[in-house]
Amino acid sequence: MKVIAICFIYFLFCQFAFCAENDNCPHYSYSVGKLNWNTDNDEIVVHAGLPNPDSPSFETDLVFCKKNKSLFSYKGDATFIGMYPLADVSQKIVTLWVSGNGTYFIRIFGYLDKKVSVLLDVPSFSLPELIYLSSIEKKADPSIIISKRVSAQTGPEVLFFAEIFSWSGNAYKSNGLVEWDKRLNLSK
C-alpha cells in the first residue's frame, strides 16, 4: 500500500511539474499548425492556434517556444495557411496567410542573436516562389519571388510583375520589379 501511495504522490508531483513547465507555452484547444524548427544551435517549436474555439480564423496566434519557454508571439491579421523552414536547418521560416479579399501575406520569421523577429512581411497575389539567383546563393538562403498583379481594363486580372527579395545578411532587400515571364531567368 505504501508503494502505491508513493507512486501516486510521485505521479501527481511529476504531473504538476510537467504542467508548470508547459505553462509558459500555450496549448490551444484548436491548433491549426505546429512546426519543430531546427536552427543552427536550438530547436524552436512554433505553435499556430486560435485563442479559443469560437475565434475567427484571422485571430491565429503564432507562439515560438524553446524548451517550453515562450520566446516570441505574433497575432495574425489574416487566415493562417501554413509554415515551413527555408532548409532542414535554417535561421528562417516562411509563414503563409490569406486575407478575405484573396491577397496572400508572406511573413518570414528569423531566429538571430537568440531572438525571434519578423524579417519580411509583404502581400502577394500568389504563393511565394523560392529561387537561387546564383551558385553562391545556393550555400545561403534562396530569394523569395512575390507576385504583383496589374488589373486589365477588360477580362481577368493577370500577373504581370514579380518582386524579388534577397537576404543581404541582416535584412531582406528588394531587387525590384521584373516582368512575370522573366522572373526565373535572373542573375544577381
Side-chain angles (χ1 to χ4, degrees), residues 83-104:
M83 58 188 152
Y84 55 90
L86 286 178
D88 289 339
V89 176
S90 176
Q91 299 299 104
K92 298 169 199 73
I93 63 168
V94 176
T95 64
L96 307 171
W97 308 73
V98 67
S99 70
N101 68 1
T103 302
Y104 291 96

Side-chain angles (χ1 to χ4, degrees), residues 22-122:
N22 284 334
D23 284 345
N24 293 325
C25 257
H27 293 276
Y28 297 101
S29 59
Y30 189 75
S31 176
V32 293
K34 181 179 177 183
L35 173 71
N36 290 329
W37 177 19
N38 292 314
T39 66
D40 287 335
N41 299 315
D42 297 309
E43 182 173 312
I44 297 170
V45 178
V46 185
H47 298 274
L50 300 179
N52 66 63
D54 298 325
S55 295
S57 60
F58 59 84
E59 289 185 355
T60 304
D61 291 336
L62 286 183
V63 179
F64 298 78
C65 298
K66 182 176 114 181
K67 296 182 181 174
N68 294 321
K69 178 183 175 200
S70 181
L71 296 174
F72 183 79
S73 62
Y74 180 86
K75 180 167 285 290
D77 57 355
T79 300
F80 177 80
I81 298 173
M83 58 188 152
Y84 55 90
L86 286 178
D88 289 339
V89 176
S90 176
Q91 299 299 104
K92 298 169 199 73
I93 63 168
V94 176
T95 64
L96 307 171
W97 308 73
V98 67
S99 70
N101 68 1
T103 302
Y104 291 96
F105 289 94
I106 313 314
R107 295 178 174 131
I108 299 178
F109 294 87
Y111 183 65
L112 307 167
D113 299 324
K114 303 286 183 185
K115 295 178 185 173
V116 177
S117 61
V118 179
L119 302 176
L120 183 67
D121 186 356
V122 293

Side-chain angles (χ1 to χ4, degrees), residues 150-167:
V150 177
S151 297
Q153 293 289 339
T154 59
E157 294 181 342
V158 178
L159 297 173
F160 285 106
F161 294 102
E163 187 170 8
I164 315 294
F165 291 89
S166 296
W167 181 248

